[in-house]
């Protein structure tokens, strides 16, 4: 056993040297044990859907516009959850970035090759399928259907970049994947200002130089699988290393990434000739706003004008991946992507002498923020900042529905790169509070003696809840009903009539008319048992854990309220009201109160749920878990009514 391990180690070292020299090792140089499932140490099987037996990444940076990446991986798939390892997607562009060699081999559990794919077998298609996005970026794809487990997949490929803002990163480990051995080699010209940033791992490279080239090598081994905890974010957990250098070349344009300031200066220069409307059009914009008194009112007017006039179409052709269309082009064509629309809004404000700042950001709910001390392009979206006196306003320019001056979980509460006259500056976007995301409802339920019911529901929503109901307009009637039942966690009705009502000042109003053939949970003699609500304000419960290690993320803080009036059938009275409850949690509270009006024969319940912070520290998880369990129990309490004697 010892002899086999030593031999495997020596072969692996030899392979690493060969790969670093630019050659691909094949079956005759790689230990057979790396292809057989029996060679996986038992310690690496726990929580793993796949095991990286061997991986080598070799990055060569010959200049800002000359980067090549070679990769060789051997991964054993243990079950169907690891099937993604038998798929490979490689991006390229026709002019600047290319895919060199490619090969995929499939092995059975005994390490016998059963299938081989080459580059000519790959599907070639546009990087996007949506008609609202136009790009010259393309993808090559290959996928193998795994028939039996375990199976092993070996992939070798090379990509060459002639246009890249970033040097490729080393994504060491995926979720529920263990690592037997993985290497990364990087060589770059001396004096390039190379730097790296460790995320969720503490390892240092071996470094050497020959006065012309600096070489770095990293190695990890025997990393156990990481099972992502519910509500955790992978960027807070998974190990990776980011790489950067001072200079880059993007579609023929030289850029400087030595600091956030210099990168912002590059963007400012990129946008300099596209951010002004023609004198005639600028004069028209001034006349449109002449009667508006304050700058903030002008910003609001022009923002809503843009929302009503423009539509989102993403065009990412060549330098257009970073450079916006001209403001005049957008004004005439009435469309643009995030860059173009943000730049157009900038030009509208410029026409009326209101300064604004173009900003780029990494968008997505709870997306990874930019690192203050490590400048690299980690952004995928553009927005606009208007620094009004004492009242900085942020504008999401791609949405035709978002309320003025509001962001959303898509871009809030993270660092954006503000483009100023002095270059780039990292700033924090606003963090929403519970009051920004409100769900307020009034419900009247009329019970029938046979256990059926009719209900009228009125909902007023803001923020993310407003977005939910605006989004319903894109669905068919049947899909709307299905979505509402699932979203509100409602008992299946026999009739549901959805009516979208007004949307004004950031508040969306909708109504539901609902009928139930059976609303009663249990009928026993003269008694009827009900869950006394049409829907629950909170439907989440969480598993109990001995020890939580990562923070729990919601998309946003929130405030939810509901007043429900239940009209009892003639001849019935309340026997038992559910108990009032007041539940507390460090970051929220849940309160419910019941009142029986015997004169009107009605039960009125008032329910309130608040979540004041959307990131819950790991140390507070058990408190939150118990709190949500208690909410579920409170919502399950029964209202009991009975026929009068």
């Amino acid at each position: 056993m010892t002899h086999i391990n030593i031999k495997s180690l020596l072969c692996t070292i030899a392979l690493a040297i060969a790969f670093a020299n630019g050659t691909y090792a094949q079956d005759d140089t790689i230990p057979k044990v790396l292809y057989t499932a029996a060679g996986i140490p038992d310690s690496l099987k726990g929580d793993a859907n796949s095991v990286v037996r061997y991986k080598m990444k070799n990055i060569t940076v010959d200049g800002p516009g000359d980067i090549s990446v070679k990769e060789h991986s051997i991964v054993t798939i243990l079950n169907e959850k690891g099937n993604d390892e038998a798929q490979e997607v490689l991006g390229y562009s026709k002019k600047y970035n290319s895919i060199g060699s490619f090969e995929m081999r499939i092995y059975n559990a005994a390490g016998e090759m059963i299938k081989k794919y080459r580059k000519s077998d790959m599907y070639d298609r546009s990087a996007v399928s949506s008609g609202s996005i136009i790009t010259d970026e393309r993808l090559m794809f290959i996928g193998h259907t795994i028939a039996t487990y375990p199976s092993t997949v070996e992939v070798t490929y090379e990509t060459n970049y002639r246009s890249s803002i970033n040097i490729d990163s080393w994504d060491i480990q995926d979720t529920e994947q263990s690592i037997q051995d993985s290497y990364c080699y990087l060589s770059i010209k001396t004096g390039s200002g190379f730097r790296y940033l460790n995320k969720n791992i503490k390892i240092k490279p071996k470094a050497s130089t020959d006065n012309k080239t600096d070489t770095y090598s990293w190695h990890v081994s025997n990393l156990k699988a990481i099972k992502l905890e519910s509500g955790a974010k992978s960027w807070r957990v998974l190990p990776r290393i980011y790489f950067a250098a001072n200079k880059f070349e993007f579609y023929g344009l030289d850029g400087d990434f030595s600091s956030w300031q210099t990168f912002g200066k590059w963007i400012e220069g990129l946008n300099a000739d596209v951010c002004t409307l023609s004198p005639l059009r600028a004069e028209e914009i001034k006349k449109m706003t002449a009667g508006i008194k304050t700058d903030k009112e002008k910003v609001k007017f022009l923002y809503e004008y843009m929302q009503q006039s423009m539509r989102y179409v993403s065009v990412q052709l060549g330098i257009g991946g970073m450079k916006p269309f001209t403001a005049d082009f957008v004004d005439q064509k009435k469309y643009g992507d995030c860059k173009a629309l943000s730049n157009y809004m900038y030009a509208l404000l410029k026409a009326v002498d209101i300064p604004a700042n173009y900003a780029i950001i990494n968008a997505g709910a709870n997306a990874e923020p930019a690192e203050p001390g490590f400048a690299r392009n980690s952004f995928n979206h553009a927005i606009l900042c208007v620094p009004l006196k004492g009242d900085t306003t942020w504008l999401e320019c791609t949405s035709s529905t978002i309320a003025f001056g509001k962001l959303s979980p898509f871009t809030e509460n993270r660092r954006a790169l503000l483009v100023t006259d002095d270059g780039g500056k990292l700033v924090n976007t606003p963090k929403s509070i519970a009051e920004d995301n409100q769900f307020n409802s009034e419900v009247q339920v009329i019970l029938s003696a046979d256990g059926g019911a009719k209900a009228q529901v009125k909902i007023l929503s803001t923020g993310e809840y407003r977005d939910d109901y605006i989004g319903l307009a894109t669905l068919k009637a049947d899909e709307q009903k299905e979505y509402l039942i699932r979203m509100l966690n409602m008992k299946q009705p026999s009739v549901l009539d959805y009516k979208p009502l007004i949307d004004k000042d950031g508040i969306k109003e909708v109504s539901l008319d609902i009928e139930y053939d059976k609303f009663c949970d249990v009928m026993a003699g003269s008694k009827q048992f009900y869950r006394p609500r049409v829907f629950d304000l909170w439907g989440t419960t969480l598993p109990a854990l001995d020890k939580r290690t990562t923070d729990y993320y919601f998309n946003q803080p929130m405030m939810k309220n509901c007043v429900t009036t239940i009209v009892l059938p003639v001849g019935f009275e309340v026997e038992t009201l559910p108990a009032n409850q007041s539940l507390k949690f460090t970051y929220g509270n849940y309160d419910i109160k019941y009142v029986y009006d015997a004169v009107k024969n009605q039960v009125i319940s008032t329910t309130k749920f608040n979540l004041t912070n959307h990131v819950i520290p790991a140390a507070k998880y058990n408190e939150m878990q118990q709190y949500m369990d208690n909410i579920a129990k409170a919502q399950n309490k029964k209202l009991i009514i009975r026929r009068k004697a």
Side-chain angles (χ1 to χ4, degrees):
M1 191 69 181
T2 304
H3 171 72
I4 293 175
N5 285 339
I6 292 173
K7 183 179 179 181
S8 298
L9 177 61
L10 291 174
C11 289
T12 302
I13 293 171
L15 175 61
I17 294 171
F19 200 101
N21 290 329
T23 61
Y24 288 86
Q26 299 297 332
D27 293 357
D28 56 342
T29 58
I30 295 180
K32 179 71 173 177
V33 70
L34 292 181
Y35 295 92
T36 62
I40 300 173
D42 289 342
S43 61
L44 297 181
K45 295 178 181 178
D47 289 332
N49 300 322
S50 64
V51 182
V52 174
R53 317 298 301 284
Y54 171 85
K55 181 174 282 191
M56 174 71 74
K57 188 165 195 171
N58 192 322
I59 304 171
T60 302
V61 184
D62 288 327
D66 190 0
I67 302 172
S68 66
V69 179
K70 296 177 181 179
E71 191 158 319
H72 185 183
S73 62
I74 302 170
V75 181
T76 299
I77 299 171
L78 302 180
N79 56 57
E80 63 182 9
K81 292 182 180 179
N83 281 354
D84 285 353
E85 296 298 330
Q87 300 177 357
E88 196 68 45
V89 181
L90 302 176
Y92 75 99
S93 64
K94 290 183 177 180
K95 185 175 181 180
Y96 284 94
N97 303 326
S98 62
I99 300 169
S101 57
F102 174 86
E103 187 172 280
M104 176 189 283
R105 298 183 179 193
I106 311 297
Y107 301 86
N108 63 17
E112 299 165 336
M113 189 177 71
I114 58 175
K115 185 72 175 178
K116 181 191 289 188
Y117 299 94
R118 295 181 174 85
K119 183 178 175 180
S120 58
D121 298 316
M122 301 181 82
Y123 296 96
D124 191 327
R125 49 156 287 184
S126 172
V128 298
S129 57
S130 169
S132 65
I133 303 178
I134 302 169
T135 180
D136 53 6
E137 299 296 318
R138 298 192 64 81
L139 298 176
M140 295 191 74
F141 168 83
I142 193 73
H144 176 81
T145 301
I146 300 295
T148 59
Y149 303 95
S151 291
T152 296
V153 179
E154 180 180 28
V155 175
T156 59
Y157 68 87
E158 179 177 1
T159 52
N160 299 286
Y161 301 92
R162 300 294 174 262
S163 170
S164 181
I165 291 181
N166 288 333
I167 300 173
D168 203 359
S169 60
W170 186 28
D171 298 332
I172 298 170
Q173 188 175 13
D174 203 351
T175 55
E176 299 180 37
Q177 179 183 74
S178 58
I179 309 293
Q180 195 165 346
D181 274 294
S182 185
Y183 302 81
C184 182
Y185 289 84
L186 187 146
S187 63
I188 188 168
K189 287 185 177 181
T190 301
S192 297
F194 172 75
R195 58 197 184 278
Y196 66 90
L197 176 68
N198 285 17
K199 298 286 288 187
N200 308 312
I201 191 168
K202 296 179 179 180
I203 58 172
K204 293 183 178 181
K206 293 181 179 179
S208 63
T209 183
D210 62 3
N211 296 322
K212 291 183 179 180
T213 303
D214 297 335
T215 303
Y216 303 84
S217 63
W218 292 262
H219 172 224
V220 295
S221 61
N222 299 316
L223 300 184
K224 294 183 179 180
I226 298 172
K227 189 176 179 65
L228 206 62
E229 294 173 313
S230 172
K233 292 297 163 184
S234 61
W235 58 267
R236 291 286 307 275
V237 178
L238 296 180
R240 65 177 56 178
I241 301 178
Y242 292 128
F243 305 128
N246 285 353
K247 303 296 182 182
F248 66 86
E249 184 178 310
F250 187 73
Y251 285 87
L253 292 181
D254 293 332
D256 189 334
F257 234 140
S258 54
S259 68
W260 288 119
Q261 183 181 18
T262 58
F263 183 52
K265 204 70 178 174
W266 182 79
I267 295 174
E268 183 192 31
L270 199 65
N271 294 2
D273 61 347
V274 299
C275 60
T276 305
L277 291 167
S278 68
L280 179 61
R281 184 61 172 139
E283 191 61 34
E284 291 175 352
I285 299 300
K286 285 183 179 179
K287 290 179 181 178
M288 286 169 56
T289 58
I292 302 174
K293 294 181 179 180
T294 69
D295 280 356
K296 186 161 187 176
E297 289 172 334
K298 287 182 181 181
V299 177
K300 184 175 188 292
F301 173 84
L302 290 174
Y303 178 70
E304 292 176 348
Y305 166 76
M306 183 204 66
Q307 286 184 304
Q308 295 162 10
S309 305
M310 303 297 159
R311 62 190 178 94
Y312 176 83
V313 176
S314 180
V315 181
Q316 311 287 336
L317 296 174
I319 194 66
M322 290 294 291
K323 185 181 178 74
F325 288 149
T326 67
D328 278 330
F329 177 92
V330 176
D331 192 59
Q332 294 163 15
K333 301 297 184 180
K334 307 301 181 189
Y335 68 78
D337 60 9
C338 63
K339 303 181 300 296
L341 295 175
S342 296
N343 180 66
Y344 177 66
M345 186 67 208
Y346 175 96
L348 290 177
L349 296 177
K350 186 177 180 181
V352 295
D353 301 318
I354 297 176
N357 296 103
Y358 183 86
I360 55 176
I361 194 167
N362 188 26
N366 295 309
E368 183 176 5
E371 290 284 345
F374 193 81
R376 66 184 294 273
N377 186 35
S378 55
F379 309 108
N380 60 12
H381 190 55
I383 54 179
L384 198 70
C385 178
V386 187
L388 297 169
K389 188 175 181 179
D391 185 14
T392 297
T393 299
W394 290 85
L395 302 176
E396 170 55 76
C397 299
T398 58
S399 172
S400 62
T401 59
I402 196 168
F404 167 71
K406 297 293 184 181
L407 295 180
S408 72
F410 194 58
T411 53
E412 71 182 19
N413 192 33
R414 76 203 64 167
R415 302 180 193 101
L417 184 67
L418 206 64
V419 179
T420 74
D421 293 340
D422 296 324
K425 180 183 178 182
L426 280 185
V427 299
N428 292 325
T429 59
K431 179 181 179 180
S432 69
I433 59 176
E435 287 79 359
D436 293 323
N437 303 288
Q438 292 193 46
F439 175 98
N440 297 303
S441 56
E442 295 181 2
V443 182
Q444 184 180 63
V445 183
I446 301 175
L447 302 180
S448 59
D450 62 1
K454 292 183 178 181
Q456 291 183 323
V457 180
K458 181 180 179 181
I459 297 171
L460 283 78
S461 55
T462 69
E464 280 301 281
Y465 293 110
R466 173 176 173 266
D467 287 351
D468 285 339
Y469 290 102
I470 289 175
L472 282 175
T474 64
L475 302 179
K476 298 177 181 177
D478 289 345
E479 293 172 332
Q480 288 177 342
K481 292 176 183 178
E482 181 182 342
Y483 184 83
L484 284 164
I485 292 168
R486 185 173 66 251
M487 181 173 66
L488 294 173
N489 195 27
M490 295 165 50
K491 182 183 291 188
Q492 184 72 37
S494 50
V495 175
L496 193 158
D497 183 20
Y498 167 67
K499 298 175 182 176
L501 303 177
I502 61 173
D503 180 34
K504 185 178 181 181
D505 298 327
I507 301 173
K508 175 65 175 175
E509 183 178 338
V510 304
S511 71
L512 309 175
D513 289 331
I514 306 172
E515 295 184 16
Y516 290 94
D517 293 333
K518 184 182 178 183
F519 190 65
C520 178
D521 293 321
V522 177
M523 300 181 72
S526 63
K527 298 181 181 181
Q528 296 180 359
F529 297 73
Y530 292 89
R531 295 182 82 243
R533 62 189 58 82
V534 172
F535 52 80
D536 294 330
L537 279 190
W538 191 247
T540 300
T541 56
L542 298 169
L545 297 176
D546 291 335
K547 185 178 181 181
R548 174 86 180 191
T549 61
T550 53
D551 296 346
Y552 189 100
Y553 283 75
F554 294 96
N555 280 354
Q556 73 281 330
M558 64 194 77
M559 177 182 289
K560 305 181 77 174
N561 300 283
C562 185
V563 176
T564 300
T565 300
I566 299 177
V567 181
L568 274 59
V570 175
F572 281 76
E573 63 185 357
V574 168
E575 179 178 280
T576 304
L577 275 179
N580 296 336
Q581 300 248 7
S582 182
L583 305 174
K584 303 294 182 183
F585 166 53
T586 300
Y587 299 104
N589 60 278
Y590 176 89
D591 293 283
I592 186 164
K593 296 179 180 179
Y594 296 93
V595 175
Y596 177 45
D597 185 332
V599 175
K600 295 182 178 179
N601 207 21
Q602 296 177 349
V603 173
I604 300 99
S605 67
T606 303
T607 313
K608 298 180 180 180
F609 173 89
N610 291 333
L611 181 69
T612 59
N613 192 25
H614 76 290
V615 181
I616 311 302
K620 294 293 183 180
Y621 176 84
N622 287 336
E623 180 191 349
M624 178 175 68
Q625 187 273 330
Q626 187 60 59
Y627 166 71
M628 290 184 180
D629 268 4
N630 290 337
I631 290 176
K633 292 174 183 176
Q635 291 180 148
N636 202 40
K637 299 294 184 182
K638 295 292 190 289
L639 165 68
I640 307 173
I641 66 174
R642 66 186 176 195
R643 290 185 183 275
K644 295 179 181 178

